[in-house]
Amino acid sequence: MNLTELNKVAQAMVAPGRGILAADESSGTIKKRFDAISVENTEDNRRDYREMMFRTTEAMSKYISGVILYDETIWQKAKDGTPLVEIIRKAGALPGIKVDEGTKPLPNCPGELITTGLDKLAERLPKYYEQGARFAKWRAVIDIGPDIPSYACLHANAHALARYAALCQAAQIVPIVEPEILMDGDHDIDRCAMISEWMLKETFQELYYNKVALEGIVLKPNMVVPGKDGKTRATVQEVAEKTIKVLKNCVPGAVPGIAFLSGGQTDEEATANLDAMNKLGPLPWTLTFSYGRALQHAPQTTWKGKSENVAAAQRAFAHRAMMNSLAALGQWKADLETRKAA
Ligand code: 5MM
């Protein structure tokens, strides 16, 4: 493992004012997104949609540091025959790859999930490296309920994250470590804070036992928010303060950066919360975005699968990328949202 190189890539992923586009929806998830805009879930439509974002050249080169791809996409070529990874690279962003293989029920733990994909991962990683991937992603999914999560679930998922991260670093690939506490449920923000802290402590302990070099990872956590069916909503300031408190208690300063998931927040909530956290700085790590839905909702609903909407959808994507870039610098203002690209 060349840690200097891994650290260079991790630093580039969280470079000031830049963040990650999570475009790694599995075929089932992208189907849900396409169903919502009445687009058929075909390989060509998935390619055209993603090509449209990757060709939003200015936004990609100024605001996007890397793109997380699904296995299908990393091997795909654009309509004109250019590999999609080449388009991403030419725009100045790094290609990355989702390597987990989704979740399965965790035995003896009703309602809880374990992320799969460790078998054969050591053999898959060099192929992705050869294809241009310089970072990878693995997501652990933790649900909050009256009796969950259990210690068994947190421990098993943290262990899998650490095993994945160690294998990535051995293959000279920076692992994005994503322990996601879901927003589903009616729990309050303090319960989310408590479970987030527990999972992060568990994750960093497992990373330590598996000898993962923290200088060569990027952490992708949830923000600390109330469950989406909870009675009490939280203010932006409260989300920012509680998230930073948890992160300061759990994440060593050796980690180059933290790139949040949006987790079902609205586009503007995800931007405002990130901005508020950065305004609380200076912080030990760079804080940026690695959003899927909060970057793609606007371009998706503008595009609707129609070629005549491509330019407007690219403007919508560029706008969200710019807003989140400003938030990553703590320089976003709500009134900038009204100057939306038409
Ligand atoms: C883009 O969605 C990713 C993949 O989801 P599936 O494996 O369920 O198809 C997801 O892992 C994503 O990278 C993160 O959760 C961040 O996305 P959001 O939408 O939460 O910002």
Side-chain angles (χ1 to χ4, degrees):
M1 181 211 328
N2 178 339
L3 185 53
T4 310
E5 275 306 308
L6 284 174
N7 180 252
K8 236 161 101 182
V9 171
Q11 296 285 1
M13 289 162 69
V14 297
R18 300 185 79 185
I20 298 164
L21 165 64
D24 58 313
E25 298 86 355
S26 50
S27 303
T29 302
I30 197 78
K31 181 179 181 327
K32 281 192 225 152
R33 309 280 181 262
F34 279 7
D35 282 352
I37 53 169
S38 305
V39 171
E40 204 189 335
N41 186 24
T42 63
E43 195 177 330
D44 280 358
N45 284 341
R46 293 194 290 272
R47 191 256 339 259
D48 290 350
Y49 167 64
R50 286 167 172 152
E51 181 181 344
M52 172 182 83
M53 286 188 294
F54 306 160
R55 285 202 194 271
T56 310
T57 324
E58 210 191 323
M60 287 287 294
S61 60
K62 281 194 189 156
Y63 312 128
I64 303 295
S65 58
V67 182
I68 314 174
L69 302 169
Y70 186 53
D71 180 76
E72 174 184 87
T73 322
I74 202 169
W75 309 104
Q76 248 171 354
K77 290 193 167 111
K79 258 196 189 132
D80 67 2
T82 315
L84 292 182
V85 281
E86 203 44 49
I87 295 173
I88 294 168
R89 261 202 307 246
K90 278 214 178 108
L94 292 163
I97 180 79
K98 185 232 292 289
V99 298
D100 70 63
E101 293 178 333
T103 55
K104 291 223 161 81
L106 183 63
N108 300 326
C109 297
E112 298 190 288
L113 300 168
I114 179 74
T115 303
T116 63
L118 285 173
D119 290 351
K120 306 224 171 74
L121 183 56
E123 290 99 87
R124 288 162 58 213
L125 288 169
K127 294 182 193 144
Y128 287 137
Y129 186 93
E130 210 177 300
Q131 189 62 13
R134 290 298 173 268
F135 67 92
K137 190 201 91 171
W138 177 290
R139 180 168 74 118
V141 182
I142 310 297
D143 207 355
I144 298 183
D147 304 312
I148 56 172
S150 64
Y151 172 69
C153 171
L154 297 192
H155 179 72
N157 275 289
H159 182 72
L161 274 168
R163 291 277 319 283
Y164 138 83
L167 287 166
C168 284
Q169 291 191 335
Q172 209 49 45
I173 288 180
V174 170
I176 293 184
V177 174
E178 181 178 4
E180 174 171 9
I181 314 298
L182 295 178
M183 268 169 70
D184 300 347
D186 60 3
H187 52 273
D188 64 15
I189 190 168
D190 290 323
R191 182 143 163 83
C192 177
M194 195 270 266
I195 304 297
S196 300
E197 181 162 353
W198 189 14
M199 182 56 185
L200 285 168
K201 294 255 186 236
E202 205 57 41
T203 301
F204 280 96
Q205 174 159 288
E206 287 300 311
L207 290 172
Y208 172 68
Y209 286 137
N210 285 275
K211 300 188 169 51
V212 173
L214 297 185
E215 298 85 345
I217 73 163
V218 168
L219 179 71
K220 176 165 173 169
N222 53 284
M223 295 179 195
V224 172
V225 290
K228 63 176 192 263
D229 303 323
K231 280 185 229 103
T232 322
R233 305 318 303 158
T235 63
V236 171
Q237 201 55 23
E238 202 181 346
V239 169
E241 282 167 13
K242 295 206 173 189
T243 305
I244 294 298
K245 184 171 189 296
V246 166
L247 292 173
K248 279 189 173 167
N249 273 312
C250 302
V251 185
V255 173
I258 297 174
F260 289 100
L261 59 92
S262 57
Q265 298 179 45
T266 65
D267 296 357
E268 210 170 313
E269 267 168 9
T271 304
N273 288 337
L274 175 62
D275 179 68
M277 282 188 260
N278 276 308
K279 287 194 164 97
L280 295 174
L283 300 164
W285 353 254
T286 306
L287 289 191
T288 188
F289 56 93
S290 173
Y291 295 160
R293 282 162 288 181
L295 270 175
Q296 295 187 60
H297 178 257
Q300 262 162 24
T301 48
T302 309
W303 176 58
K304 297 192 189 87
K306 298 197 165 68
S307 53
E308 62 269 30
N309 293 338
V310 164
Q314 287 180 318
R315 283 197 297 276
F317 173 58
H319 177 75
R320 285 275 36 97
M322 184 172 80
M323 293 298 102
N324 286 309
S325 163
L326 289 169
L329 297 167
Q331 292 171 5
W332 174 82
K333 287 188 191 77
D335 64 6
L336 295 171
E337 292 290 347
T338 53
R339 287 185 236 157
K340 267 188 198 131

